[in-house]
Amino acid sequence: MGPLLSTHSVAGDRRRVLGLVTVIVALVSAAMLALSFVIDLGGAERGLILALMPLLFCTGSAAVLLFKPGPPEVVELHEDGIVHVLGDVRRSWAWDQVRAVDIAEHSKAGCMIRFADGELLHISGLTENSHAIAAALTTRCLDARREPVRRRYKRRGAAVLGGVALVCGGVATWAVVAQLSGDPFKLAQPAVALAIPAVISLTLMIAVLVTGRR
């Protein structure tokens, strides 16, 4: 990679964001679990008790993400390329391996980089002196395309989560309507349980669209 030009430590903001998202999912799961005891859907509401599983998982995950420090993360700029170090894992790419760059247009310049091997590297706006990394990409990677890498992947993630929420929510709504109308539906409880992934997927979709906005 040639001589080292500069090092840029990365703050733990990504762990905090993930921690906050898991807290929100835990609260949503707790609300759905509480809802199973206060509404009457002819017995189908008992399917919401399964919300206990994501509640326990997300509570533990949130505690780890928010209170346990993650491995140190550093971005290094070298004369011949860029290096990303996360704990004991070290990845490096030459400047001519940069295929596309998506640089944020605001005071805390962050960017998303796509390399020739398909790997993505997200440079957070809270990375130390992230402007220097953006400037190096602009001056050393003249052949790299300027494309909305980050927005494209966010749209894909949001589309998948939205599809899951739509399908699961539709089945759950149909089960509730069938149950309340007196139509005997033996699988009403499992169908109502689909409201859990529907609401969680909707919550995650909103988080994907909101976090990291320009």
Side-chain angles (χ1 to χ4, degrees), residues 53-116:
M53 297 172 63
L55 172 61
L56 295 176
F57 174 78
C58 289
T59 300
S61 300
V64 172
L65 290 169
L66 292 175
F67 299 109
K68 182 180 179 180
E73 185 177 3
V74 176
V75 177
E76 299 177 355
L77 295 183
H78 291 253
E79 182 66 33
D80 299 327
I82 186 170
V83 176
H84 176 247
V85 182
L86 179 60
D88 297 328
V89 179
R90 184 181 182 89
R91 301 183 296 169
S92 60
W93 301 271
W95 293 118
D96 59 6
Q97 289 182 281
V98 177
R99 289 293 178 266
V101 179
D102 180 12
I103 300 177
E105 301 292 340
H106 53 56
S107 57
K108 292 185 177 180
C111 59
M112 182 76 83
I113 311 167
R114 181 166 59 81
F115 298 97

Side-chain angles (χ1 to χ4, degrees), residues 93-212:
W93 301 271
W95 293 118
D96 59 6
Q97 289 182 281
V98 177
R99 289 293 178 266
V101 179
D102 180 12
I103 300 177
E105 301 292 340
H106 53 56
S107 57
K108 292 185 177 180
C111 59
M112 182 76 83
I113 311 167
R114 181 166 59 81
F115 298 97
D117 58 4
E119 291 286 336
L120 293 174
L121 177 61
H122 177 219
I123 306 297
S124 167
L126 294 181
T127 302
E128 180 184 10
N129 196 14
S130 58
H131 287 282
I133 301 176
L137 291 167
T138 301
T139 57
R140 294 175 179 270
C141 306
L142 299 179
D143 294 332
R145 292 192 299 274
R146 301 300 189 266
E147 62 181 41
V149 179
R150 173 169 33 194
R151 282 179 289 175
R152 184 178 65 190
Y153 280 87
K154 285 178 65 175
R155 285 196 296 266
R156 289 180 183 178
V160 171
L161 292 170
V164 173
L166 184 62
V167 172
C168 295
V171 175
T173 301
W174 168 67
V176 169
V177 172
Q179 192 78 3
L180 293 179
S181 64
D183 185 16
F185 183 42
K186 295 181 179 180
L187 298 179
Q189 288 186 25
V192 169
L194 289 176
I196 300 169
V199 175
I200 291 177
S201 296
L202 184 61
T203 304
L204 293 176
M205 183 185 71
I206 295 172
V208 166
L209 293 175
V210 171
T211 56

Side-chain angles (χ1 to χ4, degrees), residues 44-56:
E45 71 279 356
R46 287 193 290 271
L48 294 176
I49 294 178
L50 292 177
L52 180 64
M53 297 172 63
L55 172 61
L56 295 176

